[in-house]
Structures are given as structure tokens and as C-alpha cells.
Amino acid sequence: MSVVTRFAPSPTGRLHVGNIRTALHNFLFARKEGGAFILRIDDTDRERSTDEFDLAIRDDLEWLGLTADKLVRQSQRFDLYEREFARLKAAGRVYACYETPEELELRRKVLLGRGLPPVYERKPADAPAQEDRPPHWRFRLDHHSPIAWNDLIRGEQKFDPKLLSDPVVRREDGSWLYLLPSVIDDIDLCVTHVVRGEDHVSNSAVQIQMFEALGSKPPLFAHEALLVAAEGKLSKRLGSYGAEHLREEGVEPIALLDVLARIGTSQPVEPIASVEELAESFDFSTFGRAPAHFDPHEVELINARLLHHLDYALVADRLPAGATEQDWLALRGNIERLGDFAGWLAVLHGDVDPPELGHDERLLVKEAAGLAEKIDWSGEPWRALTDELKRSTGKKGRDLFHPLRLALTGRESGPEMAPLVLVMGKEMIVRRLEAAARR
Ligand code: GLU
């Protein structure tokens, strides 16, 4: 059996971290098993779905590197739903209902008032149709045996169908609710694993009966614990924390994926540079049942750690024109986002404003300028320069290094000086030291 997973967003908004995580887990599991990952756009709700969101979702997934092997849109599959619906109707598994929402609500209150579960009460199969109203349609649950499955994350699950309402599958205007088309698609697309949030657990119970009613074996299910913000005050923003935001911030997509792949599991969050590597370690048995805590700060940290060791080949096409491998290696250890690189590149190759130094500091950099002319530039020039300077001035530590850094980079802090000095070269070093001494 070849694994097929699917991610099924509704194009009624942008992707946020919660649904990116679901997409990622579907993607990683399919990759690990050498299977296929399907993107199913759940756009049956024509009022709320938009082409803009449809495009944005695909674009964000592409940016994240979660490219689907196949794309389907529910709005293009209505004929299939119609056919399968007719089969269920003929088999008596869907039936017409005529209650108004007000009538249903009233009945619910009565049941609750009597201390009974507010389960929809079916009319007898031979109850007359009400010709004066268009019907909506419910799926008839089979009450004879419990619904059970072994969830890949939650373990044994069991539902008593008598305690579930027959779900509405189609509205009065003929439009589809989510439950049945999803099952029809999962069967048609040979989906083997349904991986989604635990808010769908009770949907899975009724959908399992739908699979069976349509003559199919249900897929395996994995319901992941929900994602919550690590800090309370973030929780409101979590829904808007998504690819859009991260793209604007210049965060590496893989940094987000590294965090989302592992939070809520027993595996550590690590700066892993490729989705292939993440896929190799993917394992449902490491998933916990408690909510996963998402902290954007963790993404920032992983992002910086990734960049600090990232190979030039993996960023070359995103660096400013002309940036070389040597530039990258000299600067990567000091950037937190790729966007920081350009500023440092200008320090390496452009002009820096000579800093305002005190009297002693000016003398020190003047001395350094003279020494820089004499030292051996073929070995470790930074070391040679600072060793000589220590000897000739008697200064050490911050007194020695800080004025040099200021003179050479125009900044208070930054990357390690030794590789910077190698990239800058003798001429630039002498020029900057002299400029700082003169000021
Ligand atoms: N469109 C549904 C949702 O976003 C899909 C759920 C599923 O994965 O079946 O909740």
C-alpha cells in the first residue's frame, strides 16, 4: 500500500501556524514513506472561498517547500459528489429532513432540560415528506455497533453512534457541508492516512461510517493535539501568525518547519536544514496528547542557529548580487536573519564612516595602521596585527580590540574580526585605520 496523505484547507483565509503544522505533518509523513502528498482545496462554500486565498495558500506552501504532488479543488468535483450521494440515498443512508433551525434549537433545549443528550431524533423512515419546504439531508448513522479506530496519535478511540446526531451533509439549497465530500474525495484519491487536528475527532467517527456506507475501508487516522501560544497574550495573534508575517520578517521557512515539526513531540526542536532530513525522523509515536506550545521566539532562535552554519550553496541565490562564499562565511555567524547580511556586506565592501575616537584610541589605531603595513598578510593577519599591537602599546582586551573594531567596521559589535579582516584585505584595513586616526 503506497501512502497518500492530504492537506485540505478552505480558501477562506491565509495559512497560519496551526494549519501549516498540519500541512507539514502530512507532507513529512508522505515523504518519509515515499508516498504522495495531495493538496485539496475545500472550496465548496462559494460565498466564503476566494481565488485570492486559493492562490495565497498555494504560494505560501510553495515558499515553505511543501509542494503537493497533486492538486484538486472540491468545486470541480460536484458531479462525483452527486453520484455518490445518489447511491447513499438509494441505500437509505441519507434522508430528507424538514426542520427549521428554530425547531431544532427548541428540541435541543427540551432534551437538555430533561437531562438527556441533545441528539437529533430521527423521524420514522416512513414519515411523510413535507412538500411545502425543500429538504436538507442527513446521513443515517448505523446504531448497531460502536465506532472504533486505533488513532496513530490518540490510540484506541470509541464512539457510541447512538449518542451522535445524524450529521447534515447537504443544505436545502443543494450545497454541500464538509463531511461527505471529504470522504468521497478520500476514497476517490486513495488517501491512506488522514492527519488533522483533534477538533476533527468526532467528525472522524461519523466519517468512518460514511466510508463504510460507500463500500470502502476507512483510512488510518492521526489526530494531533492542538497548537497553543506559549504565552497567553500571544494567543490572539496566533491565528494571524503565518507565512505572510514570516515572509515579511525575512525568516527562513525551514526554521518555522523545524519548530512546527517537533513541538508537541518527544523529539527536540533542532536547526535542521532540509525537509528531507526532517522527514526521516518523522514518527507519529513521538507525538504527545497535550497541546503543543508555539513560541515565535523559538523560530527566531532556530533561524539564527540555522544561518550560522548554513552552506553557501543553500543561500547563494538569495544573497545580494556579487556576494561571494568568502563573504558569506565571514558574516553568517553574526546574522539572525538573512536580511541582516546586506548591511554587513556593505561594511565589508562599501565605505564606513570613521568613528569618533578618544585621544588614546586615535593613537592606538594610528599605531595599528603602521603595523598593518608591516605584518605578514599571508598567514593570520588579524592575529599578527593584534599581537604586535599588544607588544608595542601594552594594551589588551577591550582597550585594544574595541577601537580596532570601531575603526574597521564602524560598529560597536559584530562578527569575529579575523575572517572579516581577511576579506577586507590590507589596503582597506590600512585606509580605515588611518581615516579613524585622522578624525
Ligand atoms: N477543510 C477542512 C478543514 O479545514 C478539512 C479537514 C480535513 O482534513 O478533513 O477543517
Side-chain angles (χ1 to χ4, degrees):
M1 171 184 83
S2 178
V3 163
V4 179
T5 64
R6 89 291 194 281
F7 171 54
S10 301
T12 54
R14 288 287 287 246
L15 295 182
H16 58 74
V17 281
N19 38 43
I20 292 173
R21 173 167 166 258
T22 303
L24 174 65
H25 291 156
N26 276 286
F27 177 90
L28 293 178
F29 182 63
R31 278 291 170 281
K32 176 174 181 174
E33 299 297 325
F37 168 64
I38 297 175
L39 173 61
R40 187 184 84 201
I41 303 281
D42 280 6
D43 56 353
T44 55
D45 184 343
R46 300 311 290 160
E47 304 257 290
R48 294 178 58 232
S49 302
T50 72
D51 291 344
E52 287 73 27
F53 286 134
D54 182 323
L55 182 68
I57 288 171
R58 286 179 288 124
D59 191 47
D60 285 343
L61 288 175
E62 201 70 36
W63 176 73
L64 287 160
L66 306 181
T67 310
D69 300 302
K70 183 175 187 155
L71 167 72
V72 296
R73 276 197 188 77
Q74 289 199 316
S75 59
Q76 291 166 359
R77 301 168 62 82
F78 289 143
D79 289 351
L80 173 66
Y81 306 153
E82 205 65 64
R83 280 201 302 279
E84 296 304 288
F85 180 77
R87 276 212 301 138
L88 289 177
K89 205 163 123 185
R93 291 304 294 270
V94 291
Y95 60 97
C97 299
Y98 297 89
E99 298 92 343
T100 63
E102 296 74 34
E103 286 166 348
L104 289 171
E105 185 52 28
L106 189 65
R107 194 61 203 151
R108 223 177 72 85
K109 285 201 181 122
V110 169
L111 289 172
L112 283 172
R114 289 190 199 146
L116 295 168
V119 175
Y120 174 75
E121 299 154 299
R122 287 176 191 156
K123 304 281 171 296
D126 55 3
Q130 267 175 269
E131 302 294 347
D132 56 331
R133 293 186 198 172
H136 56 277
W137 300 85
R138 286 185 190 259
F139 176 78
R140 186 186 300 276
L141 288 170
D142 175 357
H143 285 177
H144 293 102
S145 51
I147 305 168
W149 75 93
N150 192 358
D151 196 276
L152 293 172
I153 295 173
R154 296 167 62 88
E156 292 297 338
Q157 302 293 300
K158 209 168 188 181
F159 282 80
D160 179 353
K162 289 197 272 311
L163 298 178
L164 300 172
S165 295
D166 285 345
V168 177
V169 292
R170 205 169 182 183
R171 299 187 189 88
E172 284 158 28
D173 63 3
S175 64
W176 300 99
L177 279 102
Y178 145 77
L179 286 169
L180 182 59
S182 179
V183 169
I184 296 172
D185 284 333
D186 286 341
I187 295 172
D188 184 58
L189 299 167
C190 305
V191 168
T192 58
H193 294 74
V194 170
V195 182
R196 57 189 181 188
E198 66 181 12
D199 48 330
H200 281 289
V201 169
S202 60
N203 285 341
S204 295
V206 302
Q207 286 181 319
I208 282 174
Q209 284 213 352
M210 292 178 183
F211 279 101
E212 287 162 351
L214 289 165
S216 275
K217 193 167 158 269
L220 296 175
F221 288 91
H223 290 95
E224 46 194 20
L226 297 184
L227 193 67
V228 295
E231 294 165 44
K233 59 179 176 198
L234 233 169
S235 59
K236 278 201 207 85
R237 279 196 281 143
L238 201 55
S240 62
Y241 195 89
E244 190 182 11
H245 176 80
L246 291 159
R247 286 171 84 156
E248 279 166 16
E249 295 274 298
V251 171
E252 301 296 297
I254 188 75
L256 175 67
L257 302 186
D258 283 343
V259 173
L260 292 179
R262 300 272 182 90
I263 50 172
T265 78
S266 57
Q267 300 194 70
V269 172
E270 293 168 315
I272 293 173
S274 74
V275 276
E276 287 72 29
E277 213 181 309
L278 271 183
E280 270 166 43
S281 63
F282 184 85
D283 184 352
F284 283 121
S285 74
T286 65
F287 280 58
R289 298 268 315 256
H293 289 264
F294 177 76
D295 181 354
H297 186 56
E298 199 170 8
V299 179
E300 303 279 335
L301 291 176
I302 291 290
N303 194 66
R305 286 176 64 194
L306 270 169
L307 290 175
H308 295 169
H309 298 102
L310 202 60
D311 285 344
Y312 174 67
L314 295 175
V315 282
D317 59 344
R318 290 182 293 142
L319 297 181
T324 64
E325 177 158 18
Q326 202 189 17
D327 295 331
W328 174 247
L329 295 179
L331 298 176
R332 67 178 183 182
N334 196 60
I335 56 176
E336 289 184 355
R337 300 201 182 144
L338 201 57
D340 303 340
F341 180 79
W344 279 106
L345 194 65
V347 167
L348 275 189
H349 298 295
D351 293 319
V352 302
D353 287 334
E356 281 187 40
L357 300 177
H359 177 72
D360 284 6
E361 292 172 322
R362 276 211 302 278
L363 288 181
L364 181 100
V365 293
K366 191 171 167 55
E367 173 79 5
L371 292 171
E373 294 277 13
K374 292 185 213 137
I375 55 160
D376 173 12
W377 278 85
S378 64
E380 296 178 60
W382 176 246
R383 180 156 204 170
L385 179 67
T386 51
D387 282 353
E388 287 293 327
L389 201 55
K390 256 181 227 166
R391 257 196 293 278
S392 68
T393 63
K395 290 201 189 301
K396 54 183 182 2
R398 189 178 154 85
D399 287 347
L400 180 87
F401 290 102
H402 188 60
L404 293 179
R405 176 179 286 285
L406 273 176
L408 292 173
T409 67
R411 300 196 187 190
E412 293 282 342
S413 61
E416 249 192 279
M417 289 300 297
L420 287 193
V421 162
L422 276 179
V423 181
M424 288 177 183
K426 180 176 172 181
E427 198 198 322
M428 180 183 277
I429 297 289
V430 172
R431 185 160 27 90
R432 288 188 179 177
L433 290 171
E434 282 176 348
R438 266 200 308 276
R439 183 139 190 217

